[in-house]
Amino acid sequence: MARKGKAVRNAKVAKESEVVEVEDVKPEIEDIKPGTLGEHDVVMGGDVVADVPQNLLAIKEQAQKAIQALKEYKEQGKKKKSLFPEIDLGVFLLVVYKKPAMYNASHNVRRLISLPQPDKNFDNTSICIVLPDLDKSDAAKKNPDVDAEAREWAVKLREEHSINKQISKVLTLRQVMRENSTPESKRKLAETYDIFLCDKRIHKSVCTFLGKSFNKARKVPIPVDLEKPLISQIQDSYGKISMPLGACRTRVSLRFGHLNQPIEDLTTNVDEVVKKVVEYCPGGMDNVRSMYVELPTGKPTLPIYVHMGSANEVKLQKAPKLRPTEGAGQTLECSTLPEGLGVQIRPNGKVRVVEEKTGKGVLYPTTRDEYQKRDDLKPKVNVKWIEKRRLEKQKKRQNRVKVLKKRKRAANAAGGQPVGKKAKKEEVKTEA
């Protein structure tokens, strides 16, 4: 019940924002009490809708109302001019999970989503492409002219792919690493261009090197294949957005358009994004707690979907254990071992000597066993030394327990006051 009450309070807070002055988008949920909602019921558009995983049409309708409200809100505040309208007027879909995934089974850090009606085009977008090094010799690595191979690539793109002005800048992998070695330079590079493309052969290396500077700027390079027509891939990149799928993520925010676009285009985009989020997010629709349509500033934020189910019902794939428990293998006889000993092969391929009756591990061969001087494998396991080390560790453990018990008794006798090193530290602090 506490989770349900918290979700309703969050929806009430969103209702009290400035945008809710528009009558069309008022989610009248103040009359809905948490106790009256079922585990699988959803507050959507002021109504309680059941079985939402199969009813994405209601989310689309509510998103259309929210987009209309944001447009009217911005028209009311047109007196305040924005320095960066292309950024401030962006529209985002915020998705909050019930339970974060602790393990990504697919090992895909992110997925690409294609928008049907992108707001970017050739006129308002600058593109930078990163390509592999043509010369990998030591002399090329020390060449002071780092832009030489980029010029060669520009000529190749012009001749083979008819690329003239579609790409603003061509870089090579070596050039990117030499010119952007600091976080500040990477941040400046991310701010310089709108879209980054990268050859799929070096995509992983480029993403690893650029790191969180590009992740924060939402400009992770998009992989392209030079064996296919590049112009069509550039056209597709205008409408691609990246959805992160890393572990321990509780929410994701995706940009699906611009407020200057028609409402129909924005509604089509958000519908496509919601479908892909349901497909890609860990746990599917059952793991989605809520969805919101918001501006880059975070205010106002309009809820379009709120689920009241418990997070305990969501089943996610557990992370594999670092050291998986392996069952004991079959014990086999070995003619070179003494009687009563056998060989056990574990599933991971390791071999150990065990007792045939009990299956308990045995140290063999040791310095106590018989061997000839001409043997290639001379036994080095000293049973006395191993037993001595075991007793030393046991004594240290016992002494540590005794010291802790002694300190605890002294603290109880002193009425809970600190003793030993803690008391000395407090005395030094009081004197200072």
Side-chain angles (χ1 to χ4, degrees):
M1 295 300 295
R3 290 179 178 270
K4 298 178 182 179
K6 185 176 180 181
V8 173
R9 287 198 299 273
N10 293 340
K12 286 184 178 180
V13 172
K15 173 184 173 297
E16 294 174 359
S17 61
E18 299 176 353
V19 169
V20 182
E21 294 179 0
V22 183
E23 296 182 357
D24 295 341
V25 233
K26 285 186 178 180
E28 299 176 357
I29 60 176
E30 60 270 9
D31 298 331
I32 302 174
K33 297 180 180 180
T36 61
L37 292 170
E39 294 182 354
H40 300 284
D41 292 344
V42 175
V43 179
M44 189 177 297
D47 302 327
V48 179
V49 183
D51 203 14
V52 176
Q54 301 177 359
N55 194 0
L56 297 177
L57 181 61
I59 299 178
K60 182 178 179 181
E61 294 175 356
Q62 186 66 11
Q64 186 175 3
K65 295 179 181 179
I67 294 169
Q68 178 64 34
L70 291 179
K71 277 183 168 288
E72 295 184 8
Y73 171 77
K74 276 300 180 183
E75 288 178 0
Q76 294 174 2
K78 269 188 175 180
K79 297 179 181 179
K80 297 181 180 179
K81 293 184 178 180
S82 174
L83 294 176
F84 306 100
E86 66 279 358
I87 298 177
D88 298 337
L89 297 182
V91 194
F92 291 80
L93 176 70
L94 176 64
V95 183
V96 181
Y97 299 152
K98 295 179 184 177
K99 185 184 295 186
M102 303 307 295
Y103 173 65
N104 189 4
S106 61
H107 300 287
N108 288 328
V109 182
R110 59 186 61 84
R111 292 270 191 170
L112 292 177
I113 301 175
S114 298
L115 300 178
Q117 302 295 335
D119 61 312
K120 297 179 181 179
N121 51 50
F122 172 74
D123 298 327
N124 61 6
T125 306
S126 59
I127 297 179
C128 175
I129 186 170
V130 183
L131 299 172
D133 301 322
L134 295 174
D135 187 3
K136 298 182 180 180
S137 61
D138 295 338
K141 295 179 181 179
K142 300 177 182 179
N143 187 4
D145 189 4
V146 295
D147 201 20
E149 294 186 2
R151 293 193 296 269
E152 295 181 22
W153 269 115
V155 175
K156 280 190 174 185
L157 295 178
R158 192 181 306 113
E159 295 176 353
E160 298 177 3
H161 297 275
S162 301
I163 301 295
N164 294 320
K165 297 182 180 180
Q166 292 86 346
I167 294 178
S168 305
K169 183 68 174 178
V170 178
L171 298 174
T172 60
L173 177 60
R174 186 184 298 115
Q175 185 178 358
V176 170
M177 292 184 175
R178 290 178 64 176
E179 294 181 348
N180 305 279
S181 57
T182 62
E184 184 179 357
S185 59
K186 295 176 185 177
R187 196 161 47 247
K188 288 182 179 179
L189 178 63
E191 296 172 356
T192 306
Y193 303 98
D194 300 319
I195 297 176
F196 287 85
L197 304 180
C198 178
D199 193 323
K200 66 177 186 179
R201 293 172 290 180
I202 58 171
H203 182 257
K204 186 176 181 180
S205 301
V206 172
C207 292
T208 304
F209 177 77
L210 296 177
K212 62 181 182 181
S213 300
F214 274 63
N215 293 333
K216 288 183 178 180
R218 303 173 187 269
K219 294 182 181 179
V220 178
I222 300 172
V224 294
D225 189 358
L226 295 183
E227 296 181 358
K228 299 179 181 179
L230 190 57
I231 293 181
S232 59
Q233 298 183 64
I234 292 175
Q235 293 292 336
D236 295 341
S237 66
Y238 291 138
K240 285 189 176 180
I241 58 175
S242 177
M243 178 181 175
L245 293 175
C248 304
R249 183 176 292 275
T250 59
R251 61 185 63 201
V252 63
S253 180
L254 303 172
R255 185 184 185 277
F256 64 88
H258 196 272
L259 281 181
N260 290 336
Q261 291 182 266
I263 296 180
E264 293 76 13
D265 293 352
L266 290 175
T267 306
T268 305
N269 288 345
V270 74
D271 184 39
E272 179 67 19
V273 173
V274 168
K275 290 179 181 178
K276 294 300 181 181
V277 166
V278 172
E279 179 182 353
Y280 296 149
C281 78
M285 192 69 180
D286 295 337
N287 194 28
V288 177
R289 169 67 67 193
S290 55
M291 295 184 184
Y292 304 89
V293 176
E294 63 177 5
L295 296 177
T297 57
K299 295 181 181 180
T301 300
L302 297 180
I304 62 174
Y305 172 83
V306 180
H307 195 266
M308 299 298 178
S310 173
N312 296 330
E313 298 178 356
V314 181
K315 295 182 180 180
L316 300 177
Q317 186 171 359
K318 295 183 179 180
K321 296 181 180 179
L322 297 178
R323 293 184 178 179
T325 55
E326 298 178 348
Q330 185 179 2
T331 303
L332 305 175
E333 295 182 358
C334 184
S335 59
T336 58
L337 294 177
E339 294 183 2
L341 298 182
V343 176
Q344 191 178 84
I345 303 175
R346 293 185 177 182
N348 60 1
K350 292 185 178 181
V351 181
R352 66 170 183 169
V353 180
V354 297
E355 294 180 358
E356 291 183 350
K357 294 182 179 180
T358 61
K360 186 178 179 181
V362 177
L363 293 175
Y364 185 87
T366 63
T367 53
R368 294 180 180 179
D369 299 315
E370 296 181 358
Y371 67 92
Q372 298 179 1
K373 294 183 179 180
R374 296 180 180 181
D375 290 346
D376 296 335
L377 297 177
K378 187 175 181 179
K380 298 180 180 180
V381 180
N382 192 342
V383 180
K384 291 184 178 180
W385 183 84
I386 293 177
E387 185 68 20
K388 182 180 178 181
R389 290 288 297 171
R390 188 184 66 81
L391 293 175
E392 288 178 357
K393 289 182 179 180
Q394 186 177 1
K395 287 182 180 179
K396 286 182 180 179
R397 197 179 301 112
Q398 293 175 354
N399 293 336
R400 197 179 301 116
V401 172
K402 289 181 181 179
V403 170
L404 293 176
K405 288 182 178 180
K406 186 177 180 181
R407 290 179 182 175
K408 191 174 181 180
R409 287 195 299 267
N412 293 335
Q417 297 296 329
V419 294
K421 294 182 179 180
K422 291 185 178 180
K424 292 181 180 180
K425 288 182 180 180
E426 292 192 0
E427 290 180 1
V428 173
K429 288 182 181 179
T430 53
E431 291 178 359

